[in-house]
Amino acid sequence: MLWAALLMAVRAIRRNLLRSMLTTLGIVIGVGAVIAMVTLGQGATARVTGEIASLGDNLLVIVPGNAGNKHSGVAGAATPFSLRDADAVAELSEIAAVAPLSGRGVRVVYGAENTATTLQGTTSDFVRVRGWAVPEGRMFHAAEERAGAPLCVLGATVREHLFGTQNPLGASIRISNVSCEVIGVLEEKGQGTFGNDQDDLVLMPLTAYQRRVANSDDVAMMFVSATSSSATPRVQTRITDLLRQRRGIRQGDEDDFVVRDMKEVTSIVESATGVLTALLGAIAAISLLVGGIGIMNIMLVSVTERTREIGIRLAVGARGREVLLQFLVEAVVLSLLGGVLGVGLGLGASWVAARALDVPFVWVPELVALAFAFSAAVGVTFGFFPARKAARMNPIDALRHE
Amino acid sequence: MTAPLVELDGVSRVYGRGDAEVRALEDVDLVIDSGDFVAIMGSSGSGKSTCMNILGCLDVPSSGTYRFRGADVGALSRDQRALLRRHYLGFVFQGFNLLARTSALENVELPLLYRGMPGGERRRRALAALDAVGLADRAKHAPNELSGGQQQRVAIARALVTDPSVILADEPTGNLDSKTSREILEMLRELNTERGITIAMVTHELEMAAFAHRVVRFHDGRVVEDREAA
């Protein structure tokens, strides 16, 4: 009987194909939007948390400026750090490495080739803190850093632009009229969280950068690696106390720098995703409700239109429950059709968007199953009233209906 | 002695209440034995259609009893009456009442569908029924591709496909010309004589009533005449 009802439903839907499609549109759009948004959201979260995790859960970033104070003015206006600040931070306990960093956009020239990139003055601790390998050549030594030797390590993108397939090691390139020797190439990292090319950079010893390129002792930011993940809150406090003292901030005044724990960033991203998911859930519920009302509406129309058919079925011996089943199945098939089209649309759209935005396409089977379950539930819920109306018809009146 | 196939005993049917009360049937006694062919006549409003609805288990008496094969139909639930229709009754209507945009074959299969018959057998029996009414070659046609007479023959095939005890025909020739009407009546008579199917037919044409064995005439909700057909 169920199979027969299914065939009848498919036939009835095909008979009014355009109307059926328009009816399911509410469900299609609702399910499609949710599938697309959640799939994309999962992809974006996966990428962000993946990147943050790859930075290590013991990483702290120190930047000048005030995180949340509207009176502090622009962040760039805050006093930068110095190399001595970095050395002082490195003296604190439970700290594995400190990488001071200062950089600017430059044009790099090798022979006839040139490219625009970012020059970062730092120490060899930079690659250690960021977990960045140097597969070709080497990073600069501490002695070279102190001496301010004109050496550089290329990011994969810069290396490709300037050297193509040639060996860059030992070559001399010109950066802002400073000639420097290539001693290493960084491992390729690909795109970053915001679509930026992480490999588009050149590293130089910080002192060399300060003296030869920037003509200033400023340090723009510091990467600090704590000895363990559990030590980061203590290290955060120690650094804050030390820097307040070094920068002469009085008791009660706000910090003019921020010590950010990358773990916090992860939890912020995760809680933002949680909020987003809850919002999407609400949108899904509303769109399914609207879609369901659309289905109920059209099923009521259909039941009225087919009053005579119902009369005939009752006359030849259909019981109320069989008529009920027929119309209920029709409503469920309609809503499931909407679910299928919606899932297809959602997955297709998110696949395309994932490609375009370069986030991973995260296939969430539970979500698809949930979408189908909800569409079926919508069909049963909103199909029941019209189906019951059909089942309760008086066969005599139904047969006379014009 | 076995109970008669159909037995109305003091049946009344009242619609509405108070001032709007309409007594469509008034104390009707009627017995139809198995194998009979009864023409029910009367002017419009005489109660003949109400009587057909009760005989067809589509309606129940307000008072009195209707026994079908000895069972009190008034005591049955809606669903039980549906099962009675499914297994023992066939209907032929004035307006044919075929499912639109559905092939003749599928229209005829419909009652078998509710019997839960497997598809292959359903098809075979429906084709046999269509063949019996001479429309085997029209099995794939939808009702709007058939003439009135052909549509009514499809309806007859639908009524007989379940091998019913009774076929109830409510003005089966009302929408047909006289030549086609006679063909339809010949067909009903053939079903009656060759298959032994009992037939109760409402008509207001004497010519059609002449095909029956027996004529019952209604007037103002009462049976005023019950005689052998000429």
Side-chain angles (χ1 to χ4, degrees):
Chain A
M1 197 62 229
L2 195 66
W3 179 242
L6 203 65
L7 290 179
M8 282 190 259
V10 169
R11 170 181 296 228
I13 288 165
R14 276 191 12 209
R15 190 166 288 166
N16 275 310
L17 196 58
L18 180 64
R19 186 168 90 180
S20 305
M21 288 301 153
L22 290 173
T23 305
T24 59
L25 213 53
I27 304 248
V28 171
I29 292 171
V31 169
V34 170
I35 295 267
M37 299 300 266
V38 172
T39 304
L40 271 182
Q42 294 275 344
T45 313
R47 198 171 93 180
V48 172
T49 51
E51 267 168 30
I52 292 168
S54 77
L55 290 176
D57 55 4
N58 53 350
L59 183 70
L60 299 168
V61 179
I62 312 167
V63 289
N66 190 306
N69 193 327
K70 47 186 172 289
H71 303 298
S72 68
V74 285
T79 322
F81 306 113
S82 69
L83 196 50
R84 286 180 301 282
D85 289 326
D87 289 339
V89 169
E91 295 295 312
L92 295 170
S93 59
E94 292 187 290
I95 282 180
V98 177
L101 202 68
S102 219
R104 64 162 57 169
V106 291
R107 185 154 288 278
V108 186
V109 183
Y110 172 69
E113 305 293 332
N114 77 94
T115 182
T117 185
T118 308
L119 175 66
Q120 296 283 15
T122 187
T123 64
S124 57
D125 273 349
F126 179 75
V127 291
R128 195 145 22 110
V129 170
R130 294 288 310 271
W132 214 332
V134 185
E136 285 180 68
R138 60 177 180 87
M139 193 63 187
F140 21 85
H141 302 310
E144 292 163 343
E145 285 161 18
R146 277 194 300 279
L151 303 172
C152 59
V153 174
L154 305 183
T157 302
V158 177
R159 176 250 167 98
E160 202 200 311
H161 283 176
L162 294 186
F163 295 94
T165 52
Q166 283 177 266
N167 180 13
L169 298 182
S172 179
I173 61 173
R174 271 187 329 116
I175 304 171
S176 298
N177 297 323
V178 177
S179 181
C180 79
E181 185 194 344
V182 179
I183 58 164
V185 176
L186 291 167
E187 158 199 36
E188 191 171 335
K189 282 223 166 180
Q191 248 176 14
T193 315
F194 308 104
N196 51 321
D197 181 358
Q198 300 186 93
D199 300 312
D200 191 7
L201 85 170
V202 175
L203 300 182
M204 179 182 264
L206 181 63
T207 43
Y209 171 80
Q210 289 172 333
R211 279 178 220 157
R212 296 168 195 262
V213 182
N215 292 318
S216 106
D217 287 344
D218 293 350
V219 166
M221 63 189 293
M222 291 184 260
F223 284 110
V224 177
S225 177
T227 50
S228 70
S229 173
S230 58
T232 51
R234 294 191 294 276
V235 169
Q236 206 171 3
T237 314
R238 284 188 202 120
I239 292 172
T240 306
D241 292 346
L242 175 77
L243 288 178
R244 281 181 71 90
Q245 187 197 326
R246 287 184 63 86
R247 290 160 79 87
I249 300 168
R250 276 191 299 260
Q251 192 104 34
D253 283 0
E254 299 259 355
D255 295 347
D256 64 352
F257 59 91
V258 181
V259 183
R260 191 172 289 136
D261 183 346
M262 293 315 281
K263 275 203 302 264
E264 290 168 19
V265 178
T266 310
S267 68
I268 289 166
V269 169
E270 274 165 2
S271 72
T273 311
V275 171
L276 194 72
T277 307
L279 271 173
L280 287 171
I283 293 171
I286 291 168
S287 61
L288 283 178
L289 182 77
V290 172
I293 291 169
I295 283 180
M296 178 152 79
N297 188 21
I298 217 68
M299 286 309 294
L300 282 171
V301 170
S302 181
V303 164
T304 307
E305 273 181 358
R306 287 151 70 189
T307 299
R308 225 181 204 312
E309 175 193 327
I310 294 162
I312 294 167
R313 289 180 185 279
L314 290 170
V316 301
R319 279 173 292 182
R321 73 180 83 144
E322 282 147 348
V323 172
L324 182 102
L325 186 72
Q326 181 192 342
F327 282 92
L328 202 55
V329 166
E330 198 173 314
V332 172
V333 168
L334 261 184
S335 62
L336 271 181
L337 186 70
V340 170
L341 293 176
V343 166
L345 184 80
L347 289 179
S350 54
W351 189 79
V352 170
R355 275 294 182 89
L357 301 174
D358 198 45
V359 296
F361 176 75
V362 182
W363 153 254
V364 193
E366 298 91 334
L367 181 70
V368 172
L370 201 69
F372 283 137
F374 265 97
S375 351
V378 163
V380 171
T381 310
F382 291 94
F384 184 77
F385 175 65
R388 199 186 58 170
K389 189 184 162 197
R392 287 188 173 180
M393 276 183 185
N394 176 347
I396 298 167
D397 297 338
L399 281 168
R400 281 203 198 114
H401 189 267
E402 285 305 319
Chain B
M1 162 188 161
T2 55
L5 184 62
V6 163
E7 188 178 11
L8 295 180
D9 190 1
V11 165
S12 298
R13 182 69 177 93
V14 183
Y15 295 107
R17 51 182 58 195
D19 288 346
E21 189 179 279
V22 176
R23 303 187 75 82
L25 281 184
E26 190 84 64
D27 195 23
V28 170
D29 297 324
L30 184 66
V31 174
I32 300 174
D33 287 314
S34 193
D36 210 347
F37 188 162
V38 182
I40 296 171
M41 301 195 70
S43 55
S44 93
S46 62
K48 59 186 193 306
S49 287
T50 305
C51 183
M52 276 304 258
N53 288 339
I54 288 176
L55 290 178
C57 303
L58 294 169
D59 200 358
V60 287
S62 306
S63 63
T65 52
Y66 167 34
R67 277 186 291 276
F68 184 84
R69 295 165 70 105
D72 183 359
V73 175
L76 299 180
S77 71
R78 204 179 126 92
D79 279 354
Q80 286 171 317
R81 280 185 279 124
L83 292 178
L84 233 164
R85 290 198 293 276
R86 181 183 298 184
H87 291 287
Y88 299 107
L89 302 179
F91 288 89
V92 178
F93 303 95
Q94 178 178 3
F96 319 137
N97 276 332
L98 298 174
L99 297 184
R101 289 187 280 180
T102 304
S103 71
L105 183 67
E106 283 168 308
N107 264 291
V108 176
E109 280 186 34
L110 189 65
L112 301 177
L113 189 72
Y114 289 109
R115 286 190 172 192
M117 189 178 281
E121 195 189 348
R122 210 162 64 209
R123 188 145 298 230
R124 195 179 53 71
R125 285 184 62 166
L127 274 172
L130 277 174
D131 193 38
V133 298
L135 283 178
D137 58 334
R138 296 281 189 278
K140 295 290 175 199
H141 290 57
N144 60 357
E145 298 164 339
L146 298 171
S147 70
Q150 288 172 328
Q151 288 187 54
Q152 195 60 299
R153 275 146 73 187
V154 173
I156 291 172
R158 181 179 67 192
L160 70 86
V161 74
T162 58
D163 280 328
S165 308
V166 185
I167 287 181
L168 298 157
D170 193 352
E171 303 212 30
T173 60
N175 290 7
L176 303 173
D177 61 60
S178 56
K179 179 171 169 286
T180 317
S181 296
R182 279 192 297 278
E183 283 170 19
I184 294 294
L185 263 295
E186 290 287 359
M187 193 163 280
L188 288 176
R189 183 156 69 183
E190 196 181 303
L191 292 177
N192 177 248
T193 53
E194 291 184 7
R195 301 196 183 206
I197 297 174
T198 309
I199 293 176
M201 171 182 74
V202 166
T203 184
H204 53 260
E205 293 167 87
L206 273 172
E207 192 195 350
M208 301 307 147
F211 282 85
H213 302 155
R214 180 178 159 198
V215 177
V216 175
R217 189 179 297 276
F218 277 80
H219 185 71
D220 286 345
R222 292 173 187 276
V223 176
V224 294
E225 188 187 357
D226 189 346
R227 60 169 171 88
E228 295 285 308

